[in-house]
Amino acid sequence: MLILVTGSSKGIGRDLCEEFLSRGHIVVGCSRGQSDLLHDNYEHFSCDVSDESSVIRMVRKIGKTHGGIDVLINNAGVASMNHILSTPISSVKKLLDTNIIGTTLFSREVAKLMMRKKIQGKIINFTTVASALSLEGEAIYASSKAAVQKFTQVAAKEFAPFGITVNCIGPNPIKTDLIKAVPSEKIEKLLDSQAIKRLGKTKDVINVVDFFINQSSNFITAQTIYLGGVHD
Amino acid sequence: MLNEDKSIEMIIESLKDLIDEDTEDEKKVTLLNASSDTRLFGGDGVLDSMDVVILLSDLEERLDEEYDIAISLASDSIMSKARSPFRTVKSLSKYVIDAVSN
């Protein structure tokens, strides 16, 4: 399979790339900067996921080079923790650019490629338990990810005629850069609101990704799976 | 260089690609014999909204492969039955040329 992972230079994105490479898949990744991931089956693009022309060029190039994309993992995301009253609008726009515009752009361009190549593709988006739990201090992040969930549900309907499924995974806190600025007592409080009270691990995310991309999951679309027993 | 004649020719070729085993006979005849005046979307147009997004995607690919132009033809007015640039082959041709020029 050819798997495209956005936000692939670090964190969950990087781990996903390494996992799929270890299984013999071809992986294409992107991030704003370069990647030090070196592998014969890995290709990296420096790309701002919210820049329309960059995304179009990147997806077209993958189509020409590899023929198609089987799986898109819209992992690129930005988090922000702040009180609404002290949140600058520039931060809001930056976060929406990556979380909403990026997910929309890649889904649009990759779905077109999947449709043209008649690939029964899989698109996986990322939401967060912060959305389901309406966490204080996460208004913009949680809102943007709630939008990603709704986008997932509508995209699932619009792409279903082409045999493309669209699903969403909502990780709980995992030790990555995304939560490094969150105070430990806040993490503890969040974990306490989960049914299973522990930090998530990359392998928990991979397990859900595996379920969504399995060819036996062709009847699974528009769904969100949260880790740790969180629910809407 | 993409001019009006070439863009109309490209659109007519793309319309033929919309035909599959499920295409009704009357629609098939219209698509196979399309000309610059053929009504595509809205009113008595031959295309439905699903055809429009497939045609849009096909035209983007042709622009890229035949003219090395990587652009999006997305627009807020595409699904408007009254204002869609996909109303006729001719209006679509103008839209494509404008998009390429911009």
Side-chain angles (χ1 to χ4, degrees):
Chain A
M1 284 198 292
L2 188 137
I3 299 171
L4 169 56
V5 182
T6 68
S8 63
S9 65
K10 58 186 179 181
I12 294 172
R14 169 73 177 237
D15 292 343
L16 287 169
C17 290
E18 291 179 355
E19 175 67 22
F20 289 119
L21 287 167
S22 75
R23 298 182 194 177
H25 296 299
I26 298 168
V27 178
V28 178
C30 71
S31 63
R32 285 177 189 273
Q34 302 295 320
S35 171
D36 59 3
L37 177 53
L38 299 174
H39 191 287
D40 288 345
N41 286 341
Y42 180 74
E43 183 178 7
H44 190 82
F45 288 79
S46 294
C47 172
D48 173 354
V49 297
S50 68
D51 184 85
E52 185 174 23
S53 56
S54 297
V55 174
I56 290 172
R57 281 198 303 272
M58 177 180 159
V59 175
R60 299 271 169 85
K61 188 167 180 213
I62 296 169
K64 285 176 185 170
T65 307
H66 299 284
I69 294 169
D70 299 292
V71 175
L72 164 65
I73 301 177
N74 275 314
N75 163 72
V78 178
S80 160
M81 213 182 145
N82 204 339
H83 194 284
I84 297 167
L85 300 183
S86 55
T87 300
I89 292 303
S90 58
S91 299
V92 177
K93 287 180 176 171
K94 184 180 166 194
L95 195 142
L96 295 178
D97 269 353
T98 301
N99 296 358
I100 305 284
I101 306 288
T103 296
T104 303
L105 266 177
F106 269 96
S107 298
R108 188 185 79 184
E109 292 308 310
V110 172
K112 281 191 284 195
L113 182 60
M114 288 171 170
M115 178 186 77
R116 287 197 298 263
K117 302 294 181 184
K118 302 194 185 313
I119 294 169
Q120 299 216 319
K122 314 285 186 196
I123 298 176
I124 298 171
N125 297 325
F126 272 71
T127 182
T128 168
V129 295
S131 174
L133 298 171
S134 301
L135 293 182
E136 289 171 67
E138 309 262 11
I140 310 307
Y141 178 54
S143 302
S144 73
K145 291 299 189 177
V148 168
Q149 264 181 279
K150 188 54 72 179
F151 176 85
T152 299
Q153 292 164 3
V154 177
K157 286 185 176 175
E158 293 191 357
F159 296 166
F162 309 120
I164 299 167
T165 65
V166 193
N167 290 290
C168 207
I169 177 168
N172 67 321
I174 294 174
K175 276 193 174 173
T176 65
D177 284 355
L178 211 62
I179 65 161
K180 69 182 179 189
V182 182
S184 57
E185 61 271 21
K186 192 156 179 85
I187 296 289
E188 286 302 320
K189 191 177 169 192
L190 198 161
L191 295 184
D192 203 44
S193 64
Q194 298 173 188
I196 304 169
K197 304 177 195 312
R198 68 162 171 84
L199 285 170
K201 296 175 182 168
T202 302
K203 69 178 185 181
D204 299 317
V205 175
I206 291 169
N207 179 45
V208 178
V209 171
D210 279 340
F211 171 64
F212 285 144
I213 69 176
N214 189 312
Q215 284 306 313
S216 298
S217 296
N218 282 345
F219 202 45
I220 308 292
T221 195
Q223 303 304 306
T224 295
I225 293 182
Y226 291 108
L227 295 179
V230 173
H231 59 83
D232 283 314
Chain B
M1 182 71 181
L2 185 70
N3 56 32
E4 186 178 8
D5 287 346
K6 284 183 178 173
S7 74
I8 286 175
E9 187 183 321
M10 182 175 71
I11 292 163
I12 288 172
E13 285 304 308
S14 281
L15 288 170
K16 290 176 186 165
D17 280 352
L18 287 175
I19 298 168
D20 61 24
E21 64 272 18
D22 297 325
T23 308
E24 293 168 3
D25 287 346
E26 190 180 347
K27 182 174 176 179
K28 193 185 290 182
V29 170
T30 306
L31 294 174
L32 284 172
N33 298 292
S35 66
S36 61
D37 294 326
T38 299
R39 294 195 62 79
L40 297 179
F41 185 61
D44 55 354
V46 69
L47 305 183
D48 60 25
S49 57
M50 191 63 74
D51 293 325
V52 167
V53 295
I54 295 170
L55 177 60
L56 175 146
S57 175
D58 190 62
L59 290 172
E60 288 177 348
E61 187 179 33
R62 285 174 187 272
L63 286 171
D64 191 22
E65 290 189 349
E66 295 171 23
Y67 297 94
D68 199 24
I69 299 169
I71 59 166
S72 166
L73 293 174
S75 158
D76 286 334
S77 62
I78 280 179
M79 289 299 162
S80 161
K81 300 228 168 175
R83 297 182 296 116
S84 175
F86 284 66
R87 291 186 313 280
T88 65
V89 170
K90 196 168 188 176
S91 67
L92 179 53
S93 166
K94 182 178 182 310
Y95 174 71
V96 170
I97 290 171
D98 287 348
V100 168
S101 305
N102 292 330

